[in-house]
Amino acid sequence: MKQRTPVFVNILIITGLLIVFYYLFVQSYSFFSSLYFWGTVIIGGILAYIHSAIGDLIENKKFAKLSDEEKAAYLAEKKIPFLKRQYMAAFKKQSETEEKDILIDHGFDGIMELDNQLPKWWVGLFWFGTAFCIVYVFAFSFTDFASPIKEYEKEYKEQEASVAAYLENQPPVTLESAEFSEDNIAAGEEVFKTNCVSCHSEGGRGGIGPNLTDNFWKNQPEKKLFKNVFHIVENGVTGTAMQAWGKNGVLTGTDIQNVAAYVYSINQLKKPITPAEGGAPPYGDEANWEKQ
Ligand code: HEC
């Protein structure tokens, strides 16, 4: 006859599982101060006691039917403390005489296979894992808990909000405040690809609009190259296809600062694309820019 698990162990297990499940859905330990939680713990405890009382009745009935020898063995085993009994059962090894009974009838290279009972800790872990998996999949599919997509969306929105808040407090970039920074070149390249490449071509080599990589400039309202580009993009060139991107409200000051950094970079940090390499011929006068 099997020994029964003491009721306090069952209550501990129930309470532990309740904590895990409550945490899964509440996502903080605030439920410890909730009456619902303690209510379920108490109900769980009462059920465990009822279960144990019924178990006692059945145990008594079964015990009466045992032979004297079996009764003695059962009582002796019952004296071993619960945890020690669990430990012994969990790490129990089959004795050699038992091995004969559990030998599976095949082998290879002299290796025999035994139909050993799985250790209890292993089986326990397996069932815990299975139960956890079911709860987790449920929580993942139908609640917001531990969903990477939901977490990503939330954080993304927060980031966007903080960027918007930052930009709102930031004075708009103007011709006076604009500055060249290498960090803006990549963003400027994107602005260029979207808005400028149709006329100034790939890499600014020129097409409908002039070559932006050489040192010939038709429009030179400013003394420094970066400011000059900012000025032209903001105000355009009246009477030509080059519109006033800033004044017309197509690009923000930040966009213009970025694209001006990009134009500066292809003009100053790279070699000019000559007509021989597919660049547009010089347009305007040779420039003599002041240092940045
Ligand atoms: C619809 C065609 C078109 C588009 C799009 C365009 N440009 Fe232009 N751009 C021109 C033309 C044409 C000129 C020459 C104006 C002139 O004759 O003075 C010019 C001139 C310029 C100049 C001055 C060149 C010089 O030699 O004086 C700069 C700098 C410039 N564009 C940058 C840009 C940037 C940056 C963008 C994108 C935001 C852009 N352009 C988009 C057609 C265009």
Side-chain angles (χ1 to χ4, degrees):
M1 196 162 95
K2 264 186 162 178
Q3 299 289 342
R4 292 186 22 254
T5 311
V7 63
F8 81 88
V9 175
N10 284 338
I11 290 176
L12 278 182
I13 291 173
I14 290 171
T15 311
L17 288 177
L18 281 175
I19 291 174
V20 169
F21 293 151
Y22 263 85
Y23 183 80
L24 267 183
F25 289 101
V26 181
Q27 296 179 38
S28 82
Y29 287 109
S30 58
F31 60 82
F32 275 128
S33 53
S34 148
L35 274 183
Y36 286 107
F37 173 71
W38 293 109
T40 25
V41 170
I42 289 169
I43 292 171
I46 293 172
L47 289 178
Y49 263 108
I50 295 174
H51 172 256
S52 157
I54 296 173
D56 279 343
L57 291 178
I58 297 172
E59 190 180 310
N60 288 342
K61 280 262 181 241
K62 278 187 177 170
F63 185 76
K65 287 185 190 149
L66 295 180
S67 69
D68 286 346
E69 213 170 277
E70 284 169 332
K71 277 181 185 166
Y74 178 78
L75 289 177
E77 200 190 339
K78 201 172 184 172
K79 280 205 189 106
I80 305 173
F82 173 74
L83 284 179
K84 193 171 174 196
R85 219 185 312 135
Q86 286 313 104
Y87 181 84
M88 282 159 59
F91 296 100
K92 185 177 142 196
K93 273 206 172 148
Q94 261 79 28
S95 67
E96 283 195 14
T97 46
E98 269 175 315
E99 274 189 6
K100 261 198 281 143
D101 301 331
I102 57 170
L103 187 62
I104 298 177
D105 190 24
H106 60 79
F108 180 74
D109 271 3
I111 299 170
M112 337 181 275
E113 198 181 338
L114 301 179
D115 188 14
N116 268 316
Q117 236 180 25
L118 288 166
K120 272 196 178 157
W121 63 264
W122 194 97
V123 178
L125 214 59
F126 174 77
W127 285 119
F128 177 77
T130 309
F132 191 85
C133 198
I134 292 168
V135 173
Y136 187 85
V137 166
F138 177 82
F140 182 86
S141 315
F142 301 112
T143 76
D144 288 354
F145 183 71
S147 163
I149 297 166
K150 297 257 166 62
E151 280 174 18
Y152 173 80
E153 277 171 2
K154 189 168 156 254
E155 277 179 31
Y156 185 78
K157 279 204 187 111
E158 281 168 8
Q159 290 257 322
E160 265 189 334
S162 71
V163 168
Y166 173 80
L167 289 179
E168 212 156 85
N169 294 329
Q170 214 60 14
V173 180
T174 61
L175 181 61
E176 286 70 39
S177 67
E179 274 182 46
F180 171 76
S181 160
E182 284 195 6
D183 298 341
N184 297 336
I185 295 175
E189 187 169 0
E190 291 308 311
V191 177
F192 191 87
K193 279 183 182 158
T194 318
N195 300 287
C196 325
V197 88
S198 52
C199 292
H200 291 280
S201 302
E202 187 79 28
R205 68 181 64 212
I208 299 167
N211 189 335
L212 300 176
T213 69
D214 63 15
N215 199 30
F216 291 87
W217 290 78
K218 175 84 181 296
N219 303 276
Q220 301 189 21
E222 301 284 331
K223 293 196 176 84
K224 292 177 179 172
L225 173 58
F226 174 78
K227 294 265 177 188
N228 196 58
V229 177
F230 193 107
H231 188 128
I232 298 167
V233 178
E234 184 172 35
N235 299 292
V237 184
T238 333
T240 75
M242 180 65 189
Q243 64 156 312
W245 298 87
K247 289 270 154 70
N248 293 350
V250 185
L251 296 180
T252 65
T254 312
D255 289 335
I256 300 176
Q257 179 171 250
N258 289 341
V259 81
Y262 174 69
V263 173
Y264 180 90
S265 79
I266 57 175
N267 191 279
Q268 296 289 302
L269 311 179
K270 286 188 177 164
K271 279 198 194 138
I273 304 174
T274 63
E277 293 162 329
Y283 181 68
D285 305 321
E286 185 141 29
N288 188 14
W289 303 115
E290 277 179 15
K291 279 242 167 302
Q292 202 60 43

